[in-house]
């Protein structure tokens, strides 16, 4: 009977997807599911919801237990799912957005790159290293399935500083092609595609239907779109650099220096860029939570259909040795030769009882590798700052961030970092 530990189990909707999926897998139905969260109220709500699901879709076969002690939740785990958010919407996300705004730096999501992604990484890495210390003691053979952002930064920190077997998982790979074809009104069969790069900036390198290259048709239909829509940044990137990028337009608008420009304010409307999108989502989710909570915790008929989240399929493949392919975030052990070896890449991976086995991709087109490298440097410097506790590396990361460096002077960037460090207070460790 496998043991699945879910860290951040107060993320009730996401816990429903991943753990509900597990209950629908024959190989995982009898699992011991250990729930842990520092928010005891949200933890209790998730436990109630999952026990209802366990009864309705799984004949009560799983054992579901909430733990107040993290180490006990982790003890003897086979799989650890990480879905934490350190600092929450208030105070930390608000801080990540409002202080840069005082310097004239605007963001959309701020959870993966940019100044928001850097500081989210700095406050999350120490917590992840604490997890790793516990795992080394009580479940040294467990796989960590990390869903927490900033994905590349956290996966790199865990890979550099710990022996924990880690794979980073994101929704954008499996959603990329279906959403693109739907947006363009293309109905195709026998699809085959190849995606690789880095998290949130992986590239649709190939796409065929019945062996026929779809890129010419995709580019033709994309060029014919006239009305404003939600995917304008990605289509512009494809137009200029030749390939479609996996993650959404609101994300990629802040990963490059071309779109959110104080000098070109009309770009916001031209490319339909939703500034402050993540804080707006947080406010809406908090406002809607009471209704959603009741729907999840008070509905005795609650059910679930298996989602496309990778988590349960990875565990199932490891338990049964029936291979499954994912897009995973792993260290670049020569997988993409024209990206640095000491970075995390997002590539196809085979999963079986041996674990997660990354696949060799080969070199990316030169322009795509160059775009990835502008983000990789920020990942590496943020991790270096977290591991060495040297403030200079925070400055380096911010000064080399594509969007930040294109908008602000060096002095403003360093002063902004100092203000963010002070405002975060105890949410950050002390930096020298």
């Amino acid at each position: 009977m496998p043991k699945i530990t879910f860290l951040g189990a107060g993320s009730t909707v996401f816990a429903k997807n991943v753990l509900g999926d597990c209950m629908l897998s024959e190989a995982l139905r009898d699992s011991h599911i250990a729930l842990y969260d520092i928010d005891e109220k949200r933890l209790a709500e998730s436990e109630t919801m999952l026990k209802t699901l366990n009864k309705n879709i799984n004949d009560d076969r799983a054992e579901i237990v909430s733990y107040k002690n993290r180490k006990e939740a982790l003890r003897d785990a086979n799989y650890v799912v990480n879905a934490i958010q350190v600092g929450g919407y208030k105070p930390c996300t608000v801080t990540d957005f409002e202080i840069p705004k005082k310097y004239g730096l605007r963001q959309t999501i701020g959870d993966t790159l940019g100044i928001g992604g850097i500081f989210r990484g700095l406050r999350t890495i120490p917590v992840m290293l604490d997890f790793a210390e516990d795992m080394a003691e009580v479940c040294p053979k467990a796989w960590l399935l990390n869903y927490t952002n900033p994905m590349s930064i956290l996966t790199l920190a865990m890979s550099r500083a710990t022996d924990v077997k880690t794979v980073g998982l994101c929704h954008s790979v499996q959603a990329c092609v279906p959403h693109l074809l739907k947006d363009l009104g293309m109905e195709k069969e026998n699809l085959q595609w190849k995606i690789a790069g880095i998290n949130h900036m992986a590239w649709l390198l190939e796409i065929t239907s019945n062996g026929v290259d779809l890129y010419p048709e995709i580019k033709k239909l994309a060029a014919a779109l006239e009305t404003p829509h939600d995917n304008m940044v990605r289509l512009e990137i494809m137009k200029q650099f030749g390939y479609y990028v996996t993650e959404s337009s609101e994300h990629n608008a802040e990963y490059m220096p071309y779109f959110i420009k104080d000098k070109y304010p009309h770009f916001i409307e031209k490319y339909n860029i939703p500034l402050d999108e993540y804080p707006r989502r947080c406010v809406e989710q908090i406002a809607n939570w009471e209704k959603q909570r009741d729907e999840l915790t008070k509905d005795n008929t609650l059910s679930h259909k298996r989602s496309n989240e990778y988590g349960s399929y990875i565990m199932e493949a490891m338990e049964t040795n029936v291979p499954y392919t994912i897009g995973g975030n792993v260290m670049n052990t020569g997988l993409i030769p024209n990206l640095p070896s000491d970075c995390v890449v997002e590539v196809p991976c085979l999963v079986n009882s041996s674990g997660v086995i990354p696949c060799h991709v080969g070199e990316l087109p030169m322009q795509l590798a160059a775009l990835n490298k502008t983000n990789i440097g920020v990942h590496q410097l943020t991790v270096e700052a977290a591991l060495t506790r040297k403030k200079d590396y925070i400055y380096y990361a911010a000064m080399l961030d594509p969007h930040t460096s294109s908008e602000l002077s060096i002095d403003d960037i360093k002063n902004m970092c100092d203000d963010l460090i002070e405002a975060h207070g105890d949410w950050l460790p002390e930096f020298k």
Side-chain angles (χ1 to χ4, degrees), residues 251-264:
H251 273 284
N252 272 278
E254 63 184 9
Y255 300 160
M256 301 181 187
Y258 312 119
F259 299 103
I260 304 173
K261 306 289 291 179
D262 181 62
K263 188 176 178 181
Y264 302 98

Side-chain angles (χ1 to χ4, degrees), residues 26 30 49 92 143 189 209 250 286 296 308 328 330 334 344 372:
E26 191 58 42
D30 299 311
M49 177 271 296
C92 287
W143 270 92
E189 57 184 21
S209 172
E250 64 260 26
I286 292 167
L296 291 170
N308 68 349
V330 294
V344 166
N372 283 167

Side-chain angles (χ1 to χ4, degrees), residues 183 225-239 244 248-250 259 267-273:
D183 287 349
L225 292 176
E226 295 180 356
T227 57
H229 53 84
D230 294 335
N231 209 23
M232 300 182 76
V233 168
R234 279 203 282 184
L235 296 185
E236 183 67 17
I237 292 168
M238 181 175 67
K239 176 182 177 181
Y244 190 69
S248 64
S249 285
E250 64 260 26
F259 299 103
F267 281 7
I268 300 304
E269 183 177 354
K270 177 180 178 180
Y271 293 108
N272 201 23
I273 297 170

Side-chain angles (χ1 to χ4, degrees), residues 191-308:
L191 289 165
Q192 184 70 36
W193 61 79
K194 179 180 178 182
I195 289 174
I198 61 173
N199 179 242
H200 282 196
M201 197 188 278
W203 305 99
L204 180 59
L205 299 171
E206 301 170 4
I207 178 169
T208 62
S209 172
N210 293 314
V212 177
D213 182 11
L214 291 183
Y215 252 128
E217 184 179 356
I218 287 170
K219 291 177 179 179
K220 181 180 178 181
L221 290 171
L225 292 176
E226 295 180 356
T227 57
H229 53 84
D230 294 335
N231 209 23
M232 300 182 76
V233 168
R234 279 203 282 184
L235 296 185
E236 183 67 17
I237 292 168
M238 181 175 67
K239 176 182 177 181
Q240 301 300 335
F241 291 96
Y243 293 84
Y244 190 69
V245 68
T246 48
E247 189 48 78
S248 64
S249 285
E250 64 260 26
H251 273 284
N252 272 278
E254 63 184 9
Y255 300 160
M256 301 181 187
Y258 312 119
F259 299 103
I260 304 173
K261 306 289 291 179
D262 181 62
K263 188 176 178 181
Y264 302 98
H266 63 284
F267 281 7
I268 300 304
E269 183 177 354
K270 177 180 178 180
Y271 293 108
N272 201 23
I273 297 170
L275 295 173
D276 296 324
E277 173 67 13
Y278 185 63
R280 188 161 48 248
R281 288 182 193 175
C282 291
V283 170
E284 290 174 359
Q285 288 170 356
I286 292 167
N288 294 332
W289 171 242
E290 284 196 20
K291 179 183 177 183
Q292 191 173 28
R293 178 190 60 205
D294 288 347
E295 291 172 350
L296 291 170
T297 62
K298 295 182 180 180
D299 181 2
N300 293 328
T301 65
L302 187 69
S303 190
H304 181 71
K305 292 183 179 179
R306 200 166 182 181
S307 74
N308 68 349

Side-chain angles (χ1 to χ4, degrees), residues 86-97:
V86 177
Y89 168 61
K90 289 183 178 180
C92 287
T93 295
V94 172
T95 300
D96 287 343
F97 275 77

Side-chain angles (χ1 to χ4, degrees), residues 313 316-318 320-326 349-353 355:
Y313 297 96
E316 184 177 68
M318 291 186 186
T320 63
N321 201 31
V322 176
Y324 186 76
T325 302
I326 65 167
C349 300
L350 179 70
V351 186
N352 59 24
S353 59

